[in-house]
Amino acid sequence: KQEVTQIPAALSVPEGENLVLNCSFTDSAIYNLQWFRQDPGKGLTSLLLIQSSQREQTSGRLNASLDKSSGRSTLYIAASQPGDSATYLCAARSNRDDKIIFGKGTRLHILP
Amino acid sequence: SQTIHQWPATLVQPVGSPLSLECTVEGTSNPNLYWYRQAAGRGLQLLFYSVGIGQISSEVPQNLSASRPQDRQFILSSKKLLLSDSGFYLCAWSVRREGEQFFGPGTRLTVL
């Protein structure tokens, strides 16, 4: 059974710093892994999707990597800004049973 | 461009009352559609998904049901709500099963 874990549950960093959010999964048999951000009381906004054959994806200040062999994905945020404050979630889609499993998220607070 | 709508945005219902939440997608055809629930302190849980009109798969046994009467319309229903049905309900769509998922704004349901 796939389990997706995001550590830490919460993180506070000063504005301008580069930071890394972690996502680990127990079963490497995945189609893809997707990163989202969620603002309080809102839906999820897709940030990046990495297919199982890819190692990384980039969008602006965001870079997501995928290492299936170690069961890890990281989301790198460069030059953090207060507007980056949100909860970041990762989700892995299994290629065994097609299920999508979400982590519980990392709540990020960028200090101005 | 594609957009996804959910209504109502918030809902307060007594225990035992019926439920109907609606989700519609614009700007795409034959999308894969998903219903998720996000409960406080827990990750997103996939409830139902649909690959076409009238085709519904249930991920978790519960007192909820889903229907897809039209290509771009997905409805979540219940005949009798339980206290445990309270949560944030999110609808999502993707072009194909393994594709990137896009989420709606969500419906906050409180069962009293």
Side-chain angles (χ1 to χ4, degrees):
Chain A
K1 178 185 175 184
Q2 176 75 281
E3 293 181 6
V4 178
T5 305
Q6 293 185 251
I7 295 174
L11 182 65
S12 293
V13 300
E15 179 180 3
E17 282 198 5
N18 303 323
L19 61 99
V20 174
L21 304 180
N22 297 299
C23 172
S24 61
F25 46 95
T26 55
D27 187 350
S28 62
I30 61 171
Y31 272 131
N32 56 45
L33 189 138
Q34 192 168 356
W35 282 93
F36 300 87
R37 73 171 276 167
Q38 185 177 28
D39 294 287
K42 305 293 185 182
L44 277 66
T45 299
S46 177
L47 298 174
L48 290 163
L49 173 73
I50 310 178
Q51 301 294 348
S52 62
S53 58
Q54 298 174 320
R55 296 299 299 268
E56 66 178 81
Q57 283 283 348
T58 298
S59 176
R61 294 183 293 111
L62 305 180
N63 176 277
S65 67
L66 175 64
D67 184 344
K68 285 202 309 177
S69 61
S70 65
R72 289 188 61 198
S73 176
T74 61
L75 179 67
Y76 174 84
I77 303 177
S80 59
Q81 303 170 358
D84 294 330
S85 297
T87 296
Y88 289 79
L89 299 105
C90 65
R93 183 190 286 271
S94 170
N95 63 17
R96 296 185 197 277
D97 55 15
D98 221 16
K99 291 185 186 295
I100 303 166
I101 305 297
F102 277 79
K104 292 186 179 181
T106 294
R107 191 170 62 254
L108 176 65
H109 182 46
I110 305 301
L111 305 168
Chain B
S1 63
Q2 301 86 7
T3 54
I4 178 169
H5 304 279
Q6 288 186 245
W7 63 90
T10 60
L11 191 59
V12 180
Q13 292 284 94
V15 169
S17 64
L19 172 74
S20 181
L21 304 181
E22 190 164 343
C23 169
T24 58
V25 181
E26 296 178 355
T28 188
S29 296
N30 196 31
N32 292 307
L33 296 172
Y34 311 82
W35 276 113
Y36 289 88
R37 176 169 59 203
Q38 188 176 37
R42 302 176 64 180
L44 264 75
Q45 181 183 40
L46 179 63
L47 303 175
F48 301 95
Y49 68 86
S50 171
V51 298
I53 295 174
Q55 301 178 62
I56 310 294
S57 296
S58 173
E59 290 293 309
V60 181
Q62 59 218 323
N63 70 320
L64 299 172
S65 62
S67 62
R68 185 170 177 175
Q70 300 180 42
D71 181 44
R72 289 169 289 178
Q73 184 185 32
F74 205 22
I75 297 173
L76 183 69
S77 304
S78 175
K79 292 181 180 179
K80 288 186 177 183
L81 284 168
L82 307 172
L83 286 174
S84 58
D85 291 324
S86 292
F88 192 45
Y89 287 82
L90 291 157
C91 181
W93 72 274
S94 65
V95 172
R96 56 188 185 283
R97 287 280 296 162
E98 64 275 18
E100 187 174 6
Q101 287 192 73
F102 300 96
F103 281 76
T107 295
R108 174 74 59 190
L109 172 66
T110 303
V111 182
L112 301 175

